[in-house]
Structures are given as C-alpha cells and as structure tokens.
Amino acid sequence: MMLIRLIYFSRNRLDEWYDRKDAGIAEILATSVANNLRDCITGALICDERWFVQALEGAENKVSAAFERILRDQRHRDVSLVTMQAVSERRYPNAAMACVMRSQDNDDLFRHYGEDACFDPRQVRPERLSDLIEAVVQRRATGEPAWTKKHATNAA
Ligand SMILES: Cc1cc2nc3c(=O)[nH]c(=O)nc-3n(C[C@H](O)[C@H](O)[C@H](O)COP(=O)(O)O)c2cc1C
C-alpha cells in the first residue's frame, strides 16, 4: 500500500453553524474518528478561531475520498491543499484524528511556527505547518514544549 500524507488549511466557519465552537468540533470529531477508523486513516486537526489545519495519512484512495468529503463541508471554506506526498511512515500512528484547539497551553507554538501573533497559514511554509501540527499534538500528549529544545540547541 502506498502511504500518503495530505495537509490542508481552511477558514473556520463553526461560528456560523454552532452556538458553541466546541460543540462543532465535537461533532466533526465524532464523524472523523468513525470514518477514519473504518478507512485506516490517521492524522491530526488543529484550529484556532479562524483557521483549521489538518494532516490526513493513509492509503491514497481513502485519503482522497476523505478529502473530497471534507472539501464539500460547509463548516469551513477556502480549503487550500498544502501538500499531498508519499511517505514511508505515519506521524500519528495512534490517532484516528488527534484534535487540538489553540489555547493558552499551546499559543506560543502558533506564534513560533506562524512567526506572527496572528496566525495565518497562508504565510507559513508547508514544512513549518506540518511541524506546527506535530508540535501542538506532542505538547498535548506530553506537556513538553517540543520546539524549545530544538531552539536551545540551535542557539548554543
Ligand atoms: C475541519 C474538518 C475536518 C474533517 N475531518 C474529517 C476526517 O478526518 N475524516 C472524515 O471522514 N471526515 C472529516 N470531516 C467531515 C467531513 O467533511 C464529512 O462531513 C464527513 O466525512 C461525512 O461523513 P459521512 O458520509 O459518514 O456522514 C471533517 C470536516 C471538517 C469541517
């Protein structure tokens, strides 16, 4: 099986559909986890008030089919494909869809990788977007600031 990783970002429209954003996220996540388990897709979804950034990994036909459904979803708009490439292994092997919202706990990561207090994925290079997703997910998993170590090493 050829393993594919697809990354996109889009404009968050949850405030137009839900009274509470976390209700919208919960609904998206319930469907995503059920479908992704069925389709052997893994990945991660991060979001702030204005943007979603998502990584999907799995078999090419399954990832493409999920992305086509995602493209049609009215809960976001302006979906922009960042990368779709063959990869040798999964980055999120244990997550049918890890999901983390921007919060005080990870705000520094959005600033660091976005290089701006006001995160705008259109201004961020593809590798950095991918690193941001990973850092945010890792922070939640371990409570560890993923990038400060790298940062410290570089500075030394
Ligand atoms: C930001 C965002 C991320 C989503 N991620 C996924 C996903 O990873 N997998 C998935 O199957 N659906 C995902 N969805 C939901 C799809 O757009 C669509 O509603 C769903 O796949 C339809 O599934 P159903 O045909 O089983 O009802 C996402 C939607 C949004 C708005």
Side-chain angles (χ1 to χ4, degrees), residues 8 18 60 68 70 87-88 95 98 108 112 124 133 147:
Y8 75 85
Y18 298 90
E60 186 171 13
E68 276 170 30
I70 289 170
V87 291
S88 54
D108 59 312
H112 174 71
V124 182
I133 304 172
W147 63 268

Side-chain angles (χ1 to χ4, degrees), residues 50-74:
R50 295 176 311 145
W51 300 100
F52 288 112
V53 188
Q54 188 173 25
L56 294 159
E57 45 193 28
E60 186 171 13
N61 60 337
K62 300 292 187 191
V63 169
S64 296
F67 189 54
E68 276 170 30
R69 295 195 303 272
I70 289 170
L71 278 172
R72 290 195 297 268
D73 199 310
Q74 298 293 306

Side-chain angles (χ1 to χ4, degrees), residues 29-40:
L29 207 54
T31 317
S32 301
V33 168
N35 288 349
N36 295 355
L37 283 172
R38 176 195 68 202
D39 296 337
C40 289

Side-chain angles (χ1 to χ4, degrees), residues 5-90:
R5 183 177 307 119
L6 181 156
I7 296 179
Y8 75 85
F9 60 81
S10 60
R11 289 267 188 187
N12 188 334
R13 288 182 68 188
L14 291 182
D15 54 354
E16 295 169 47
W17 295 93
Y18 298 90
D19 290 336
R20 291 171 48 105
K21 278 209 172 119
D22 48 358
I25 291 287
E27 210 169 281
I28 289 172
L29 207 54
T31 317
S32 301
V33 168
N35 288 349
N36 295 355
L37 283 172
R38 176 195 68 202
D39 296 337
C40 289
I41 290 176
T42 51
L45 173 68
I46 63 172
C47 68
D48 69 2
E49 294 288 309
R50 295 176 311 145
W51 300 100
F52 288 112
V53 188
Q54 188 173 25
L56 294 159
E57 45 193 28
E60 186 171 13
N61 60 337
K62 300 292 187 191
V63 169
S64 296
F67 189 54
E68 276 170 30
R69 295 195 303 272
I70 289 170
L71 278 172
R72 290 195 297 268
D73 199 310
Q74 298 293 306
R75 291 172 288 186
H76 59 176
R77 63 181 167 84
D78 303 339
V79 177
S80 305
L81 180 64
V82 177
T83 57
M84 180 168 181
Q85 57 192 162
V87 291
S88 54
E89 56 184 30
R90 293 175 191 259

